[in-house]
Structures are given as structure tokens and as C-alpha cells.
Amino acid sequence: MNETSKRKDWVKNAAIIFLSVLLVLTFFSNTIMNYSLPEVAAQYCMSGSITNKVRGTGVVESADPYSVTYKETRKIASVKVKPGDEVKKGDVLYLLEEGESGELKEAESALKTAKSEYEKAAIEGGFSSSDTANFEKRDPNSDSTEYQDKGARLKKAKESTDEALEKVQKEIEDFEYYTYNKWNDGSSEERANLDRAIEEAKDAQEYWERIKGQYESGYSEYKELLDTYNKAQVAYENAKKAYENKETEANKEKYSEAKQAYKEAKEALNNSTEKDSYDQYLSASLEFQNAENTEKQCEKAIEDRKRELEKQYVAFKDREYEAKKASEKATKELEEFQSDYSGSSSVVDLYVAYQDAKKAYDEAKEKASNVQITSPVSGVVLSTSKVAGETTESGEEVASIQLAGKGFTLSFAVTKDQARYISVGDEAEVTNSYWYTDVHAKITSIKTDPQDPQAGKKVTFQLEGDITNGQSLTLTAGKRTANYDFIVPNSAIREDNNGKFVLRIKSKSTPLGNRYIAERVDVTVIAEDDTHSAVNGVFEGYDYIITTSSKPIEEGQQVRLKES
């Protein structure tokens, strides 16, 4: 009996121990599994306001670089500056090797040819040495004879008219480049501001059309209630005055009926849920009228300025025409004068050509003695195109200089919606500004992006400060605040091949406690600042959005909440 009882006690104790161990393992296995899950921090998705800002990155470019050219063919001995160096007018950019330039050799060859042709013509014409010695007196540049006086006068007249023609042509060229063409292509600041104002006006009109369509399709009830209220108010005030002037039963009854109708109309109006939509409709109407006026004013200003520029252009062309006539007349008179003389005139012409060639040779020889290329302006060196041992070509650019007092520009593309948050003249901040303590940026133009003309805008900034050409900067502009229904921290925004999304926490009850699952919600970011983003998505209200995690997580994965 005792043996049987002991065996039962042993089986009982073994079962208790087994169940206890099983319970402990079950508990700890759940705990171990929880600690193996990614730990996440989360915040509620709530409504609020965001200051809309536009951010972009671009490359710093020189606003108006000066091109240094050299008109001689010479070999470079050494380069005395490098990009980023500050130079003053007259500072040495390059040292040249000594020796004849290509231009000097050409001038020497031209001189030998001119001298040979002159001497040959003199011999073939039978002119003696005493005759040729007097040719200088018949040179139009000399003042000794009537021939020389007239020739000098005609030559001077030709030079003067040629200079006048070149001057007016240079004025036309400058006018076309800096004023006329920039106005027509919209790149001048004045035209850009007017075009910007027109685009903003059109945006306001588009907005009005949307509001109008929305109002007319679903919110006309409030207008009817308002009309009924206004009519009831007038009828009530008239009945009241009539009763106060003459207290009759008929007037009293009309007064009572009008009062009741006015009360009912007022209650109906106050209880309407469409007032905000109607107010928005009226506000948009006013903005539409203002925008329409602005658009007309800007378009008129553009047309007026265009007509003014066209008049100036026509005046320039008239001056050019007159200058051409004067130049052609002076040239013809000089040529006729020279052709009137036979025999010695051709020899004199060759003598003059010989003297001109000699003068050109002397000038080339003097230039060849110069062994420096100096800076014609003050500023900062942007680039040098030659190294020691290379040879310059006549008229080739050898350096580019950022003029002193001239700034830099930077551009990047934004969407049409983003462009609504900024305006020409807005100041911009440089990201990581503690690296660029002396950099200032301001928006100078907002134009249609040629790469995306339908939905894109190109924003251009004027930069000043301690920056260099070719540097990459990130700028932030815009200070307009708006309210949004769903705002989440920037750290909560994730992105994959399917677009942007957030992960919210879904709770599931189990016998061992709550389980937390990461659920994907696709979103569109509609505004953002440095810390938060306003998004559109299918939310359920006060969703708990994951902001950070201890390890990568995916949709549908179980997570554990970070302890506060």
C-alpha cells in the first residue's frame, strides 16, 4: 500500500515539475522572442501647420565673367596666377618666352613684299631716284602740296565716317544683346518680374475656376439661403416700421409673419454648413478680379515697353543707315580722287602701302618686345587656359576673371506648386550655413523650366559672399505657413520603388499580450520643413506612426515599442 502511494506521489510531483518547466519555457520563449524583435519609436499623426519651404541644390556660376584675350602668337614661359587668385588691373597673368611672334614674322614678310612691289613699279614706270624721293610729298598723309592737302582731307573724312559707322554698329550690338533681346526672350529682370506676375495671376484665375466649379456644383444652397435671409430681413424691417407708424391689426399680423419668416431664414442661414465654402467662393472671386486687373496691367506694360524698345531699335537702324551712306560717300570720293591720277598715282599708292606696312612692322616689333600678358581688369581669376610650353593663338581666350563687384548666380528646378511659395526678391538660406558664414542669396527670377515647361519652374538666385565658381550649394527659400490634416516627422517618411510611405502600428490582442505589427500607408508629401512633413494618405485618425527603429523593418513585420 505504501509502495503504491509513493509511486502516485512521485508521478504527481513529476507532472507538476513538467508543467512548471513548460510554463517557464513558454514565458521566457515569448520574452526572448520579444527582445529579438526590432525596437521602434512612434508618434501620433496629427493636424497642424507647416511653413512651406523650397529647397534645391545647384552649382555656383559667375554672373558676368570677363574674357581675357591675347592677339599675338607667343609661347608661354610660365603662369603667374591660378583660379581663385585675386588680381588687380595690370597684374601679370603669364610670362612669355622671348622671340619673334607669328604676327611679327607676317608683318616683316608683308613689309618686304610692299617694298619690292613699290620699287618694281617705280622702275617700270621710268621714275628716277629724284622722282621717287618726291613721292612722299604726294602722300595723302603729307601737308606739302595741294594734292597732299586734298588727299589727306578725303582720307580723314573716310576714317571719320568709318569710325562713326563702327560706333553706331557697336551701340546696336550692345542694345540688342543687353536690352532688346533680353526683353524679348524674358531674361531681363524687369520682364521676368512682369511675366512672373502674369503667371501668378493666371494661377489665381485657375484657382477661381476650380472654386467656382466646386461652389456651383455643390454649394449654391448657401447663396439661396442668404438671398432668402436678405429678403426676409428687408420685409421684416418694412413691416416693423409700418406697424410702429400705424398699430393696426393688419399691420400687426404682417409684422408678426415677417418677423417669424426672418427668424426662420436666419436660423436656416446660421445652421448651414456651406458658409465657409461660400466665403471661400467670394474671396476667390475678389482674388480673381485683382488677378485679372494685374494680368491686364502687366500685359499692357510689356506691350508698351516692347513698342518703346522697337522705336529705339528703329532709331538705331536709321542712324546706321545714315552712317553707311556717309561712309560709302567718303570712300567713293577718295577712290575717285586717287583714280584721277595716272602714271605716278599707282606708284604713290604702292609707296603709301609700303609706308603702312613699315608702320605695321614697327608696331608688331614693339609688341614682340613685351614678355607679359597682364590683366586688363580687377577681380578674381576663374580659369586659365594655358600652361607653360603652350602657344597662344591670336584672339584666343587665355583667362577668365570674375569682375570685382560682380556676383555669382545659382539655379535649380522646382515644381509649379513649389513656385507658389516663393517670389522674386525673397532671401534664401544656405544649408549648413555655419560652413558659409558670409554667403547671401536672393531670388532674381522664376521662369518656366525649359526641361519641364508644363509643370516645372527654374529658380535663379543672386549670390554674394565667400564662394567660388563651380561650388555646389543647397539653398532653402519660402516663409508661407499653411494648415494640414496629417503631419508626421520627416524621419517617418520612407521610400522604395513604389513611392513614399509610412509605417503605422496596428495592435493585435493575443493570450500572451498585445502584438504590434508594422502596416504600410502610401503617402504623398505636399509640404515640408526641417522637421515635419504634411502628407496625404489613407489614415484612420490619430494613427501611431513609426519614426525610428533599432533595425530595418518591413510591412507586416512584428515590432516592439520602445519604452518611454
Side-chain angles (χ1 to χ4, degrees), residues 55-293:
R55 182 181 291 104
T57 301
V59 176
V60 176
E61 297 179 349
S62 175
D64 189 13
Y66 184 91
S67 177
V68 181
T69 59
Y70 190 62
K71 296 183 179 180
E72 299 291 317
T73 304
R74 299 287 294 277
K75 194 171 185 179
I76 301 294
S78 63
V79 184
K80 308 303 291 183
V81 295
K82 61 181 181 301
D85 286 352
E86 185 174 349
V87 295
K88 294 181 179 179
K89 184 177 180 179
D91 285 354
V92 177
L93 303 179
Y94 295 92
L95 288 180
L96 306 173
E97 290 187 1
E98 295 184 357
E100 294 184 347
S101 67
E103 287 71 22
L104 178 59
K105 292 178 180 179
E106 291 177 1
E108 184 178 17
S109 175
L111 175 59
K112 290 179 179 178
T113 300
K115 183 179 180 181
S116 175
E117 290 177 350
Y118 157 65
E119 291 176 344
K120 180 181 178 182
I123 293 173
E124 291 177 350
F127 294 96
S128 64
S129 58
S130 59
D131 293 329
T132 57
N134 291 325
F135 284 161
E136 183 176 358
K137 297 179 181 180
R138 302 191 65 181
D139 178 3
N141 291 318
S142 177
D143 298 326
S144 60
T145 66
E146 180 181 351
Y147 175 91
Q148 296 149 9
D149 290 342
K150 185 176 182 180
R153 187 170 62 254
L154 292 175
K155 186 174 183 181
K156 185 175 181 180
K158 181 181 184 306
E159 292 174 349
S160 178
T161 55
D162 287 346
E163 288 177 0
L165 178 59
E166 290 179 2
K167 181 179 179 182
V168 72
Q169 287 176 337
K170 179 64 169 59
E171 290 176 353
I172 291 175
E173 181 181 339
D174 291 343
F175 177 75
E176 288 178 340
Y177 180 77
Y178 293 106
T179 305
Y180 189 74
N181 292 340
K182 284 193 173 184
W183 175 266
N184 288 330
D185 66 20
S187 61
S188 70
E189 183 174 354
E190 180 186 2
R191 175 65 185 272
N193 289 336
L194 289 171
D195 288 341
R196 166 68 176 169
I198 289 176
E199 291 189 14
E200 290 181 347
K202 290 181 178 179
D203 289 344
Q205 293 174 35
E206 291 177 2
Y207 175 71
W208 152 246
E209 292 297 334
R210 292 197 301 271
I211 293 299
K212 179 183 178 183
Q214 184 183 28
Y215 170 76
E216 291 178 346
S217 63
Y219 301 104
S220 59
E221 177 186 345
Y222 183 80
K223 180 64 168 58
E224 295 176 0
L225 293 175
L226 181 62
D227 291 342
T228 302
Y229 167 78
N230 289 332
K231 291 177 181 178
Q233 184 180 32
V234 173
Y236 164 68
E237 291 175 351
N238 291 338
K240 182 179 180 182
K241 290 180 181 178
Y243 178 67
E244 290 175 347
N245 292 334
K246 189 173 182 180
E247 296 183 358
T248 64
E249 286 300 323
N251 285 344
K252 182 178 181 181
E253 182 177 355
K254 289 181 180 179
Y255 169 57
S256 177
E257 291 176 353
K259 184 177 182 180
Q260 180 63 28
Y262 170 63
K263 179 180 179 182
E264 292 175 355
K266 186 175 183 179
E267 289 178 352
L269 184 65
N270 291 336
N271 291 334
S272 173
T273 60
E274 314 304 335
K275 183 176 186 305
D276 290 342
S277 297
Y278 182 70
D279 290 343
Q280 186 182 23
Y281 170 78
L282 294 179
S283 175
S285 298
L286 181 60
E287 290 184 11
F288 171 79
Q289 294 173 1
N290 293 336
E292 196 171 38
N293 292 334

Side-chain angles (χ1 to χ4, degrees), residues 314-333:
V314 170
F316 273 123
K317 299 301 285 186
D318 288 343
R319 286 175 55 197
E320 182 186 29
Y321 174 74
E322 294 298 328
K324 280 184 178 179
K325 284 174 52 178
S327 177
E328 290 169 356
K329 180 181 178 183
T331 301
K332 182 179 179 182
E333 289 177 350

Side-chain angles (χ1 to χ4, degrees), residues 315-361:
F316 273 123
K317 299 301 285 186
D318 288 343
R319 286 175 55 197
E320 182 186 29
Y321 174 74
E322 294 298 328
K324 280 184 178 179
K325 284 174 52 178
S327 177
E328 290 169 356
K329 180 181 178 183
T331 301
K332 182 179 179 182
E333 289 177 350
L334 179 59
E335 290 175 348
E336 288 177 349
F337 166 75
Q338 292 172 340
S339 66
D340 285 342
Y341 291 84
S342 61
S344 64
S345 63
S346 61
V347 180
V348 172
D349 290 341
L350 290 173
Y351 175 79
V352 172
Y354 163 54
Q355 294 299 316
D356 289 342
K358 185 177 180 181
K359 182 180 178 182
Y361 170 75

